[in-house]
Amino acid sequence: MKLQLALDEYTLEEALEMAEKVRDSIDIIEMGTPFVIHYGMEAVRTFAERFPDKEILSDEKIMDGGYLESEMAYQAGAEYCTVLAVTDDLTIKSCVKAAHDYNKKCVVDMICVKDYAKRVKECEDLGADVLAVHTGADQQAAGRTPLDDLKIMTENVKNVQVAVAGGISSKTIREYTKFHPDIIIVGGGIKKAEDPAEEARLIKQAMEEA
């Protein structure tokens, strides 16, 4: 089980500082969508160079131009790049092809998917490496969590890794580890903690105990 740090609303300097603080507890560093929109592939390159012992994810949420946009991430040093499950199958296929051409991994983000069970199977058939359960910030603000979707995902997934994101913290982590996802993604839970390093340590500890 890997812990992924999501860097969203940061300056580049703040993001580097945060990643350094929690370095001992994390496995994957995510260039979150707002962050990668602001800094582009320069952020990916910077983190790949500064943290060679960590995997880098570029959260591009691709909807079109799958091969080109994925390729940019992999050439910059990302191990993972995201595409949205709600896009068309040809775009997902293009993202998968780019990932496999570069010996990297394609993550399909399931945000806004209505029929989880159906789309899980379809995305597996399209060659996805990771399927990500994702409850977005706006849905979180309305009180929704990823737990129900994670349950459906784990009941239906067969051959790919599972990631989960959406308001997870040290207080809720054990609700998620019981489903044994491969990757747990935490952003605000670490950023907003009084002691981010300790929060990341507690989350990682709970994951290891599970």
Side-chain angles (χ1 to χ4, degrees):
M1 210 178 292
K2 294 181 179 180
L3 176 56
Q4 179 172 314
L5 171 67
L7 299 170
D8 290 309
E9 298 174 26
Y10 290 83
T11 66
L12 184 58
E13 294 74 20
E14 290 169 344
L16 288 165
E17 182 180 343
M18 178 61 76
E20 192 60 54
K21 280 181 183 177
V22 301
R23 185 173 197 151
D24 291 344
S25 300
I26 61 172
D27 306 288
I28 303 169
I29 305 175
E30 173 191 331
M31 308 294 99
T33 308
F35 190 65
V36 83
I37 287 173
H38 188 80
Y39 291 102
M41 293 303 101
E42 190 57 37
V44 176
R45 278 187 285 273
T46 298
F47 274 85
E49 290 169 4
R50 187 74 66 90
F51 297 91
D53 57 324
K54 306 299 179 186
E55 296 178 313
I56 307 300
L57 180 143
S58 184
D59 188 17
E60 297 180 21
K61 294 187 173 74
I62 294 169
M63 279 290 286
D64 188 23
Y67 195 98
L68 174 63
E69 294 180 11
S70 298
E71 183 178 46
M72 289 191 293
Y74 300 132
Q75 288 178 341
E79 179 68 21
Y80 308 86
C81 185
T82 64
V83 59
L84 295 183
V86 293
T87 191
D88 64 88
D89 290 356
L90 289 175
T91 298
I92 294 175
K93 279 185 176 180
S94 295
C95 291
V96 168
K97 185 176 189 312
H100 296 174
D101 282 352
Y102 283 87
N103 198 28
K104 305 295 184 181
K105 296 175 184 175
C106 176
V107 179
V108 179
D109 185 329
M110 302 287 285
I111 192 169
C112 295
V113 167
K114 293 182 179 178
D115 189 339
Y116 245 68
K118 179 174 181 285
R119 197 58 173 151
V120 164
K121 183 182 186 307
E122 290 170 348
C123 289
E124 279 194 315
D125 290 344
L126 291 168
D129 300 292
V130 183
L131 297 181
V133 177
H134 183 192
T135 298
D138 297 325
Q139 288 184 323
Q140 289 177 47
R144 194 161 185 267
T145 77
L147 282 170
D148 290 341
D149 291 337
L150 180 59
K151 183 175 186 294
I152 296 169
M153 172 80 82
T154 55
E155 287 172 348
N156 287 276
V157 76
K158 291 182 173 61
N159 302 310
V160 302
Q161 292 188 321
V162 172
V164 59
I168 301 169
S169 70
S170 62
K171 293 181 175 63
T172 62
I173 182 63
R174 286 175 176 80
E175 297 175 35
Y176 295 88
T177 57
K178 66 185 180 183
F179 291 103
H180 302 287
D182 300 282
I183 301 168
I184 290 180
I185 305 165
V186 184
I190 289 174
K191 181 181 183 181
K192 295 172 185 176
E194 186 173 335
D195 184 342
E198 177 64 7
E199 175 72 1
R201 188 193 70 77
L202 289 171
I203 292 169
K204 186 66 170 180
Q205 178 180 307
M207 292 166 64
E208 291 171 346
E209 289 172 355

